[in-house]
Amino acid sequence: MFHIPPRTKWMAAALTIAAASALAPAGGALAAVGTPAVAGQYTYTAKLNIGDEANSRACSAVLVHANWVLTATSCFAKTPGAAVAAGKPALKTTAKIGTATLDVVKIVPRSDRDVVLARLSKPVSGVAPIKVAAAQPAVNAAVTAAGFGRTKTAWVQTKVHTAAFGVTSSDATTLALTGKGTDAICKGDTGGPLVNGNGELAGINNRSWQGGCLGTPATETRTGAIASRADGLQDWIRKTAFHAPGDMTNDGIADLAAIWGDGNLYLYPGDKAKGLAGTSTAQLGGTTWATAKQLAAGDFNGDGISDLMSVWNDGTLHLYKGDGKGKVTDGVTVTEGASSWGPVKQFTAGDFTGDGVADLMAVWNDGTLHLYKGKGDGQLASETKVNTGGNTWSTVKLLPGGDFNGDGIADLMAVWNDGTLHFYPGDGTGQIGDGVTVPLGGSTWGTVLHMTAGDFSGDGIADLMAIWNDGSLHLYKGDGKGGITDGVAMMGGTSWKTMLQLT
């Protein structure tokens, strides 16, 4: 009888397949662990190599965000059952997804089940992350496991294999599975995805009896397996993967960049409790920032640190990479658009496509709104016109971007010339939905001089910072529904009135 041991035992047992596990496709396996997946399917499955030649192991993983894969915590344990700490992996780890091989730079274990999020050194392009299931699979439901583990005849795999399973039982965090026919999960498959009939992530493969897998005694024929449930992890994944736009100090809180009337650029670190910490850091360039026409903050190179983009008075666009310590490096010219950026009336950044890289939204002098998708290397792709609003955007006075509804996609807030504030939800394709009036403040927003967005409270929801015409700076916390709460005055009194740019 297949037995599900208590947590202390399964953590120790996990390494019997953690440093190795494999899988077979639904629809009749030809080997104990199946045949390679059909080209173009299960492309979100990653192969993990952990350690060096003297101490190496292999696991599988699944892409759940452009910068993050989900896998089994036990894959990273130095010895079976050993604790795994959050932070940089103890052993060098790489993840191969498609043709890209990327370093794993950070891991975040889950405390209640054998799963861990692993951050990649840069975002994956050309591969769509899997959607996490909202509900657990029912008993007897058909599911498919995928991974790069052993098969019946081979030790090492370069292609994803799949295996068909049925759910036999479940508890709050795990699923018990039985292989269909001779399908089984083998060494190297630990951490790989368990996919339901809708193509959603139902679980993460943990351990199995490995019946029929190469290297398993012929007397072992059991194909039962255990997987960690993935449903219920959506918020944890989102909050872990979420990078606060404008975070230039690498603490998960948005910071404020401001160009003062004398042309100097300063960074004001954010503070989870107070909004702003009360300190400032002067940036390179001295007083030359006085000629900057637009300024926006976002992670344009996918390293988890916000950068700045600025349009200069000669019409060129430049990227200033954040160093993670509150400063930016020398500017690099953005080639898209050459010197044509001068006529841009409004300018904001945010991840409008959900790939983990900041994009630009720009209102041009003809009143149209355009998206420029970030490439992940600090450069931008060619423009895509935003359909909503046509050429009416010329009357927008302020246009901050941020995730105001907590779905992981950047949205827009817009102050129109009648003084009203409107919320436009991003749809993940670079387009936005119809505007909804934000009731707070009525038509008084017309007297705001500058406005920007960022997660200054650390809850994964964008907030607004606004400088009013009396020179005071106020924080308006996002409510997670596309609205904001009452403003709270920030440091500096009325001294913010001389500000030229704010982001």
Side-chain angles (χ1 to χ4, degrees), residues 1-30:
M1 178 179 177
F2 188 70
H3 175 62
I4 302 176
R7 176 175 171 81
T8 54
K9 292 183 179 179
W10 67 249
M11 283 299 288
L15 258 289
T16 59
I17 67 161
S21 295
L23 325 155
L30 301 178

Side-chain angles (χ1 to χ4, degrees), residues 5 40 42 76 79 102 116 124 126 167 175 200 234 239 256 294 299-300 308 352 357 362 389 447 476 500 503:
Y42 304 98
F76 293 95
T79 58
L102 305 171
V116 62
V124 175
V167 177
L175 300 169
E200 302 166 331
Q234 299 96 322
K239 290 178 180 178
L256 197 66
Q294 302 286 344
D299 181 13
F300 293 97
L308 294 180
F352 295 95
V357 176
T447 61
Y476 298 84
L500 300 177
T503 188

Side-chain angles (χ1 to χ4, degrees), residues 257-261 263-266 289-290 292 295 310 498-502:
I259 301 174
W260 287 85
N264 280 290
L265 172 65
Y266 287 86
W289 291 94
L295 192 68
S310 179
T498 60
M499 197 65 56
L500 300 177
Q501 298 284 342
L502 187 72

